[in-house]
Amino acid sequence: MASHIFSSVLTLVFLLSSSALCLAHPGLGFGFGFGWGGSPPNGLSPYFYDISCPRANEIAMSVLQNAIAQEPRMAASLLRLHFHDCFVQGCDASVLLDDSGKIVSEKHSAPNVNSLRGFEVVDEIKAKLEEACPQTVSCADILALAARGSTLLSGGPYWELPLGRRDSKTSNPVAANNSIPPPTSTIQNLISSFKQRGLDQADLVSLSGGHTIGVARCTSFKKRLYNQNGNNQPDLTLERTYYNDLKSVCPRTGGDSNISPLDYASPQRFDNTYFKLILGGRGLLTSEEVLLTGNIANVVELVKAYAEDEGLFFNQFAQSMVKMGNINPLLGLNGEVRKNCRRINSQN
């Protein structure tokens, strides 16, 4: 049954991503305003591979379908990879580089180590694309395609995806440590971090909604259970039953790698339940709960609006993913198209 559902969704994706439909229905009603007759202002275009690699999305989706069918959690991991890439030095696939030569991998940074997943899925997509279209589709674009495909295969929205990013020849582990908002972030920290990257409060709240799928390790939320304010007391904003359930998963001592769903009600389904849980004091991370308790009126109203209207959330999430994917892309002769996503070409 699950295989049949995935197959049906994949067929829909192939139809939606065809050039003919894109031309007939630019933006699929989301109204991004770029006027797709040419390239958007930053040089990216949803038609970038129409001639050079027309099956790029189809190939990526076939790998994603199998990976997510085997492990539904992988969808959240791939969505997170795109976020952790874009927030460092732009959407340039720097997060995929392994240690080699002068490269110090971002995978060792505090927000990523023993946490980021999905690299093997990206490798498989890249290998199949290299067979079909050698040195054509960048690893940065693969991350963007994987994020959209993972969202869609989990029941979330489709968006017309501008492509044409190139891959960096450098990594920045220091920036990775400093640029990715930690799970203990205050609302002011979150707003500032997003603003620095051209993202507003609607982007902050909707992209936080990506946590409707996936899990977090105990180390990310243990402080809320036992010592939120340095006084050996729990975070009193946690709903009591939820708090007791979390303590059974995450003991005071040990168990730091134990995991809990970010959205326990529908952890594998991309929906708006995440926002409903926050309103009930059942947001897992401090950085989620502060969307409600941080007392920023517009942010609170957005949480309530997305909890009430899933379509509104989906529409904004799609627009915000396009905006995030446009953070400082490498274009033209900048960067390169890596043959192997883990190494720059001079090391292949």
Side-chain angles (χ1 to χ4, degrees), residues 69-280:
Q70 292 174 20
E71 185 188 3
R73 179 187 164 195
M74 186 56 67
S77 298
L78 292 166
L79 180 59
R80 186 165 176 244
L81 263 183
H82 187 39
F83 179 90
H84 279 232
D85 180 43
C86 292
F87 258 60
V88 177
Q89 55 184 24
C91 306
D92 61 2
S94 62
V95 73
L96 300 178
L97 289 169
D98 286 341
D99 287 334
S100 58
K102 297 181 180 180
I103 300 294
V104 179
S105 178
E106 293 172 16
K107 297 173 184 178
H108 304 310
S109 64
N112 298 337
V113 66
N114 298 322
S115 179
L116 286 188
R117 306 167 69 250
F119 299 109
E120 294 78 10
V121 177
V122 174
D123 291 340
E124 185 178 352
I125 295 172
K126 181 61 174 174
K128 291 185 180 300
L129 285 170
E130 285 299 303
E131 291 177 6
C133 321
Q135 289 186 261
T136 301
V137 181
S138 69
C139 301
D141 277 347
I142 290 173
L143 286 177
L145 287 165
R148 180 182 66 176
S150 294
T151 300
L152 189 61
L153 289 169
S154 301
Y158 172 93
W159 57 93
E160 192 164 69
L161 179 60
L163 298 166
R165 302 165 189 81
R166 288 167 65 84
D167 301 323
S168 69
K169 300 179 184 179
T170 63
S171 64
N172 197 334
V174 173
N177 277 321
N178 297 329
S179 300
I180 299 169
T184 55
S185 293
T186 65
I187 189 63
Q188 290 80 11
N189 293 151
L190 291 170
I191 290 172
S192 175
S193 179
F194 276 65
K195 185 176 181 180
Q196 289 172 19
R197 289 155 185 84
L199 302 173
D200 60 24
Q201 292 179 13
D203 300 317
L204 165 61
V205 180
S206 65
L207 291 174
S208 296
H211 284 176
T212 182
I213 53 176
V215 302
R217 292 184 301 154
C218 184
T219 186
S220 299
F221 59 89
K222 178 180 282 192
K223 186 177 179 182
R224 296 191 73 196
L225 306 182
Y226 303 107
N227 192 25
Q228 175 71 345
N229 296 312
N231 58 359
N232 292 315
Q233 295 298 313
D235 184 344
L236 297 179
T237 65
L238 280 167
E239 191 272 331
R240 181 56 54 174
T241 301
Y242 184 53
Y243 163 69
N244 288 328
D245 289 343
L246 290 177
K247 285 202 301 181
S248 68
V249 174
C250 180
R252 183 182 289 271
T253 303
D256 284 359
S257 293
N258 295 350
I259 58 175
S260 181
L262 291 156
D263 168 357
Y264 72 85
S266 54
Q268 297 175 4
R269 175 90 186 157
F270 198 102
D271 56 24
N272 69 334
T273 304
Y274 167 84
F275 296 104
K276 298 175 183 178
L277 293 175
I278 289 177
L279 291 175

Side-chain angles (χ1 to χ4, degrees), residues 37-79:
S39 296
N42 64 3
L44 302 178
S45 168
Y47 314 128
F48 191 82
Y49 297 113
D50 277 9
I51 295 174
S52 60
C53 194
R55 293 182 61 241
N57 185 61
E58 179 184 341
I59 291 168
M61 288 300 297
S62 67
V63 175
L64 292 172
Q65 180 192 23
N66 292 332
I68 295 170
Q70 292 174 20
E71 185 188 3
R73 179 187 164 195
M74 186 56 67
S77 298
L78 292 166
L79 180 59

